[in-house]
Amino acid sequence: MSGYAVVDVEATGRSPWRHRVVEVAVVQLDAALRTEREFATLLDPVGPVGPTHVHRIAQEDVVGAPRFRQIAPALLELLAGRVLVGHHVTCDRAFLEREFARIGVVLPPVPALCTMRLARRLLPQAGGFGLSACVEAAGLGWFPAHTALGDAQATVELLRHCLRSGAAAEEPVPAAAAVPWPRLGPARSRGRVSLLRRWTPLGPWPAGVEGPRPLIGAAGYE
């Protein structure tokens, strides 16, 4: 199995050492950039959720959400053997590394692609190089910013735009497939782990509206 794992995290603050992941999303792509699977859930950060005005996640939204350890085995399987992709991917990787380190798992060094770096070369006309500015400069349309799945999906479209424009100088997929990954047994809990996914609207959020509210979906795993 090989391809790309496009990731995005929302966190309780800016420091991977002092803050926690409160939402994570992964979109798996095959080597031809076709979507294979999407995964997203809010997480219980075991403390304050942080800047609600940025990520639009309130404290009550994470009640009943899984903790990182509960979804860690599934997350490892989603990432294993794939090129790690993100918009400013070093930030997303740093938060994931710290969350895994807290439960005794060391992430291996894997090939990574940063859509921010790609956009700096291909979209010099962008007013900035945050995800929203790059998506707008590429003409990719609206997306629900600062939701983990919305950002990951937008990063997927930006990645496709950049790679199909010939941005990559080398093919990282075979190298990623050869990297050995750790495995992790399930957390000590009974039954299925229920994921808590945010509902995202089909259009822009009106001014003054706090954004989407979470709904407990049927998604889960053993």
Side-chain angles (χ1 to χ4, degrees), residues 138-160:
L140 299 176
W142 176 87
F143 71 100
H146 296 297
T147 66
L149 185 56
D151 284 359
Q153 290 170 334
T155 301
V156 166
E157 295 305 320
L158 188 58
L159 177 70
R160 288 171 175 156

Side-chain angles (χ1 to χ4, degrees), residues 37 39 69-75 191-195 219-222:
R37 184 182 176 190
F39 172 95
R69 174 63 181 87
Q70 292 176 283
I71 59 100
L75 197 53
R192 293 166 65 84
V193 175
S194 294
L195 307 181
Y221 60 92
E222 297 293 346

Side-chain angles (χ1 to χ4, degrees), residues 80-82 107-111 173-182:
R82 295 174 182 269
L107 291 188
V110 294
V173 171
V179 175
W181 274 73

Side-chain angles (χ1 to χ4, degrees), residues 8-170:
D8 187 80
V9 303
E10 298 298 322
T12 62
R14 294 184 177 183
S15 170
W17 294 88
R18 293 186 295 108
H19 300 120
R20 302 295 300 270
V21 174
V22 72
E23 187 179 30
V24 61
V26 180
V27 180
Q28 286 185 330
L29 306 177
D30 66 14
L33 303 179
R34 294 174 299 221
T35 300
E36 295 182 312
R37 184 182 176 190
E38 293 182 343
F39 172 95
T41 187
L42 291 165
L43 294 171
D44 179 359
V46 198
V49 296
T52 297
H53 67 285
V54 174
H55 52 49
R56 299 181 175 89
I57 300 169
Q59 201 68 44
E60 61 268 23
D61 295 341
V62 299
V63 174
R67 296 186 180 182
F68 186 85
R69 174 63 181 87
Q70 292 176 283
I71 59 100
L75 197 53
L76 282 175
E77 291 183 6
L78 289 165
L79 301 177
R82 295 174 182 269
V83 179
L84 192 67
V85 181
H87 199 75
H88 193 15
V89 69
T90 54
C91 179
D92 295 297
R93 181 183 170 90
F95 272 101
L96 291 175
E97 281 182 330
R98 286 304 305 151
E99 289 290 356
F100 277 111
R102 290 184 180 102
I103 59 174
V105 175
V106 178
L107 291 188
V110 294
L113 278 176
C114 180
T115 53
M116 180 183 288
R117 287 190 176 185
L118 294 177
R120 285 183 184 277
R121 296 192 349 239
L122 287 172
L123 300 169
Q125 74 276 19
F129 292 99
L131 183 57
S132 294
C134 292
V135 165
E136 181 178 358
L140 299 176
W142 176 87
F143 71 100
H146 296 297
T147 66
L149 185 56
D151 284 359
Q153 290 170 334
T155 301
V156 166
E157 295 305 320
L158 188 58
L159 177 70
R160 288 171 175 156
H161 176 85
C162 291
L163 294 190
R164 288 168 180 168
S165 299
E170 59 184 35

